[in-house]
Amino acid sequence: MRSGRSALEKVHRTFSFACRKPRLTPQGEGGKRGAVVLALVALIAFAAPDVARAADAAEAAEADKEVARDAAAAAPSWERVPGELSFTTRVSGRRVPDDLRQMLEDARELDAEAEDGVPPPTTLAQLRRRAQEDSRRLVEVLRSEAYYNGRVTPVIREAAGGGFEVIYQVVLAQRAMIRRFEIVYPDLPEGEAEARGLPRDGAALGLAPERAVRAARVIDLTRAAVAYLHNHGYPQAELAERRVVVDLSSSQADVTLTITAGPRLLFGPLLVRNPDGRTEADYVTSLARITPGAPYDRRAVDATTAALRDSGLFESVSVTSGAVDADGRAVQEIELAERAPRTVRLGAAWSSSEGAGVRGSWEHRNLFGRAEKLVLGLSIAEIEQKGTAEFRKPNFLRPKQSLLVSAEIANARTDAYNEYRLRTGASLERPFGARLTGSAGVSFELTETEDANGRTDYQLIGFPVVMRYDSSDDLFDPGEGVRATLAGAPYFGGADREATSFARLEATGATYFRFGPALTLALRARYGSILADATTDVPGSLRFHAGGGGSVRGYGYQLAGPLSATGTPLGGRSVAEAGAEARYRVSETIGVVGFVDGGQAYESLAPTFDDGLLWGAGLGLRYYTPIGPVRFDVAVPLDRRRGIDDAFQIYVSLGQAF
């Protein structure tokens, strides 16, 4: 209820108006008598407000006396006690739009005064006075929405049970429309505004004809006019005066903005100040969106600030105009404070099927002074141990293009296979818009896989291509948006000294829907296919598997797919998965989740769906921390296979399942 009042106060600080009364001109002798009558009416009309104000003052004085008498008779208390007035308030009126009605209801203060430390009315006189004060606030709301002839009349009625009902009766009348919207620049030489293309009327700012003179509309147009100057060479432009004159007889308004433009400036040279940092100055200027010699443009300054912040190198960024030379070029001073360049991360996970595991990484975000990033990672778990290294060089060969170099050495011991592998690769990555990113490169790997079919040595060269789309609102706990990845890679090489080739294709996606502040529905899907003559042509880690905490919960790791006669998972050449979660946040730190997962890997090139998918379901808890939610899930297999699947699975890790 307090928000309505603060909005009104803001409007009346920034939005002033004048009302012009209609002029009446009597004609002839009858006109003289009419003039006398009109004069009397005008005298009464102009005197009426003074009489009303005098009555209000007398009523207020009497109410204050009653308050004083009540205060002397009892100890002061802001709480309602027996014998106090009981009342309700409501807004009434015909054809009042819902949004306007809500604004009027928010502007009422009679019910909220006890919350502000003001005692509630104890007499009918006090109730009337405060209802009158409320009605004046409601009239201000009407004027802010262009109902200048609107009226609000408070009516107090006795209600059942000895209480009272305060009804604010609203009459809107005709809405005032903008007739003229002019912009003047008193400090510019004659003709300069036209020569520079500066807006001179509302139409230049997008104002359509016959629009109501709403306070918010006038303020928005004012901001647009000042912003236009800031973006076209006048960084010191500011509003000097805003005047709105309303003709009540025709319900039309004339708006005049007086804007002091200030001197016209051009972008000068860039000056980088980064006293305690290691980032090279020419790299900073390469990120800038400012072109020296161009007219000053606030948008270019904001884009430069955003680009420097998005680099992840700086704690604070400031871009300001400095000294101005004789040609009107202002030096652009870039003040920077660098972040600590190194970060250490630790994580842990545990599940009843995959066992325990820990992982950690060390990151340097500015290795050589041009935002080069090096990340060294180590993961130690019961089923796999691996070390990784990733190097990223941004703005490689062209702006916004990055060079990525990676390496991995791993030892895996799973029910499906035992594997030693060494992988390395390089790729180029670049954005294709704000949410779409693509990469293409080359990889090389040496792999030794031992599975139910025996031991095979692979030497493979691949050419991976990846497209990623991400419009989600949070990295670790998304509530809205879409994530999708499409990856493909042809591989060529040898398997036990025999030529082999295959292509691996995989598509994954997830979408999130928020229903109110506490409930989120998350959906995901996965589809993959390997174009190979036989599963044995593909190393174990590149085959498709399903089952486990990041796949089909309720089934053992890699067990939702082809199995040998002894129940050992073999992996497949295709996979299909789907899942859904309903996430409900009970409090700021606690959440509950209900989920269902389905999926399976297949020996065939494409999922056959002859036997359907294996489905699992369960419940989970989430503990929300500043670095992401801690996940605890319990799942059961709905298609439990005798001698293969356990009765339930438990998963504990950091971050949502997807």
Side-chain angles (χ1 to χ4, degrees):
M1 192 167 289
R2 308 300 307 145
S3 62
R5 185 182 185 189
S6 62
L8 280 175
E9 290 173 349
K10 180 178 179 181
V11 166
H12 283 276
R13 285 196 300 269
T14 59
F15 186 71
S16 62
F17 63 90
C19 295
R20 183 181 297 122
K21 298 287 184 179
R23 299 179 60 186
L24 301 177
T25 305
Q27 299 292 333
E29 192 65 28
K32 294 180 180 179
R33 289 194 297 271
V36 174
V37 173
L38 289 174
L40 290 174
V41 171
L43 179 61
I44 294 172
F46 282 103
D50 293 334
V51 173
R53 283 193 292 270
D56 289 343
E59 187 176 23
E62 180 62 27
D64 291 339
K65 291 179 182 179
E66 293 182 13
V67 172
R69 286 195 297 269
D70 293 340
S77 173
W78 304 139
E79 299 180 357
R80 294 191 175 181
V81 297
E84 234 178 28
L85 282 180
S86 175
F87 64 90
T88 60
T89 66
R90 66 183 176 92
V91 174
S92 176
R94 298 178 57 191
R95 297 188 298 275
V96 178
D98 292 340
D99 56 344
L100 177 58
R101 185 182 297 274
Q102 186 62 52
M103 294 174 64
L104 294 169
E105 291 175 351
D106 290 343
R108 295 173 300 174
E109 294 194 354
L110 187 54
D111 283 339
E113 287 178 342
E115 301 174 7
D116 295 340
V118 179
T122 57
T123 68
L124 186 57
Q126 292 179 24
L127 184 62
R128 286 175 179 152
R129 178 169 63 86
R130 295 186 184 177
Q132 287 287 350
E133 294 172 352
D134 256 1
S135 68
R136 285 190 283 272
R137 280 185 283 269
L138 269 59
V139 168
E140 292 174 356
V141 173
L142 294 182
R143 288 182 170 180
S144 72
E145 290 298 300
Y147 295 100
Y148 287 94
N149 284 318
R151 303 189 306 276
V152 178
T153 304
V155 177
I156 300 177
R157 296 176 180 173
E158 189 172 354
F164 294 91
E165 183 181 29
V166 180
I167 305 171
Y168 301 99
Q169 294 184 340
V170 178
V171 178
L172 294 181
Q174 187 176 354
R175 205 172 195 184
M177 301 295 174
I178 297 176
R179 178 170 54 192
R180 285 191 296 271
F181 194 108
E182 299 179 348
I183 307 173
V184 297
Y185 307 95
D187 63 328
L188 291 184
E190 185 175 354
E192 180 172 339
E194 290 79 1
R196 301 295 181 188
L198 303 184
R200 299 305 302 267
D201 54 30
L205 302 172
L207 176 64
E210 297 298 320
R211 289 296 183 267
V213 60
R214 296 173 50 247
R217 173 171 287 129
V218 175
I219 292 173
D220 289 343
L221 290 168
T222 303
R223 290 172 178 168
V226 175
Y228 186 93
L229 269 71
H230 289 169
N231 297 334
H232 292 81
Y234 298 88
Q236 300 175 18
E238 61 181 12
L239 178 68
E241 182 185 18
R242 175 172 46 224
R243 183 171 177 79
V244 180
V245 179
V246 180
D247 188 339
L248 297 179
S249 64
S250 62
S251 292
Q252 292 183 314
D254 297 331
V255 182
T256 304
L257 303 183
T258 302
I259 297 178
T260 303
R264 185 173 186 269
L265 299 180
L266 305 176
F267 281 132
L270 302 178
L271 177 61
V272 178
R273 291 194 174 96
N274 185 24
D276 300 321
R278 58 179 293 164
T279 306
E280 296 180 9
D282 64 331
Y283 180 74
V284 174
T285 57
S286 72
L287 297 178
R289 305 294 186 262
I290 295 171
T291 303
Y296 184 95
D297 191 332
R298 182 67 54 83
R299 294 168 298 185
V301 174
D302 293 341
T304 298
T305 302
L308 292 171
R309 287 176 177 165
D310 291 344
S311 70
L313 301 178
F314 307 105
E315 287 282 358
S316 64
V317 178
S318 174
V319 182
T320 58
S321 295
V324 181
D325 63 16
D327 296 327
R329 291 176 296 194
V331 174
Q332 300 302 298
E333 301 176 353
I334 303 177
E335 297 277 352
L336 303 171
E338 285 196 11
R339 295 174 55 194
R342 300 172 184 85
T343 298
V344 176
R345 295 183 176 88
L346 297 173
W350 177 86
S351 75
S352 54
S353 63
E354 301 170 46
V358 296
R359 59 185 180 273
S361 66
W362 175 89
E363 176 184 295
H364 197 303
R365 287 180 295 276
N366 200 10
L367 192 62
F368 303 122
R370 303 182 71 83
E372 300 90 350
K373 180 188 292 186
L374 176 64
V375 180
L376 303 178
L378 180 64
S379 175
I380 301 176
E382 294 184 26
I383 60 174
E384 186 177 66
Q385 307 83 45
K386 67 179 179 180
T388 59
E390 297 178 358
F391 175 79
R392 174 186 291 267
K393 182 174 179 57
N395 296 316
F396 180 73
L397 300 180
R398 59 178 297 169
K400 297 185 178 182
Q401 179 171 274
S402 298
L403 170 67
L404 285 74
V405 179
S406 63
E408 175 191 82
I409 183 170
N411 173 37
R413 292 287 184 270
T414 74
D415 291 339
Y417 56 83
N418 296 334
E419 184 174 275
Y420 297 98
R421 66 177 178 270
L422 173 64
R423 289 177 178 162
T424 185
S427 62
L428 294 177
E429 180 186 85
R430 56 183 297 190
F432 298 92
R435 299 171 178 174
L436 183 64
T437 302
S439 65
V442 61
S443 67
F444 179 77
E445 65 179 88
L446 299 174
T447 304
E448 178 186 285
T449 297
E450 184 177 356
D451 56 15
N453 298 308
R455 172 179 163 179
T456 306
D457 292 328
Y458 299 92
Q459 308 84 36
L460 298 173
I461 184 171
F463 300 92
V465 177
V466 181
M467 296 295 291
R468 293 185 179 89
Y469 178 87
D470 191 348
S471 63
S472 60
D473 58 350
D474 190 278
L475 179 62
F476 298 106
D477 186 23
E480 292 179 332
V482 174
R483 292 177 178 172
T485 301
L486 180 62
Y491 289 90
F492 306 92
D496 281 345
R497 299 183 180 181
E498 292 186 5
T500 185
S501 63
F502 60 90
R504 190 178 193 274
L505 306 173
E506 184 177 14
T508 60
T511 184
Y512 310 91
F513 304 93
R514 179 176 285 121
F515 300 92
L519 179 62
T520 297
L521 176 63
L523 307 174
R524 74 172 185 91
R526 177 191 181 205
Y527 184 92
S529 178
I530 298 177
L531 306 180
D533 293 335
T535 304
T536 54
D537 291 339
V538 184
S541 56
L542 290 179
R543 300 171 193 169
F544 287 118
H545 299 85
S551 178
V552 184
R553 286 166 287 185
Y555 297 88
Y557 181 64
Q558 299 179 336
L559 284 178
L563 303 176
S564 68
T566 59
T568 301
L570 301 174
R573 288 183 289 169
S574 61
V575 68
E577 291 180 1
E581 282 194 350
R583 304 168 182 170
Y584 184 78
R585 197 154 182 164
V586 179
S587 67
E588 193 68 24
T589 57
I590 300 297
V592 295
V593 173
F595 59 86
V596 60
D597 294 327
Q600 190 166 323
Y602 301 86
E603 292 185 17
S604 56
L605 292 177
T608 60
F609 300 109
D610 292 339
D611 299 326
L613 302 178
L614 297 177
W615 292 93
L619 297 173
L621 288 176
R622 301 291 184 268
Y623 178 72
Y624 294 95
T625 71
I627 60 174
V630 176
R631 174 166 66 107
F632 178 87
D633 289 339
V634 179
V636 297
L638 301 181
D639 301 300
R640 187 180 179 187
R641 298 163 294 183
R642 185 182 300 273
I644 298 175
D645 301 318
D646 294 331
F648 62 90
Q649 298 285 347
I650 299 175
Y651 310 94
V652 181
S653 65
L654 181 64
Q656 297 285 9
F658 58 90

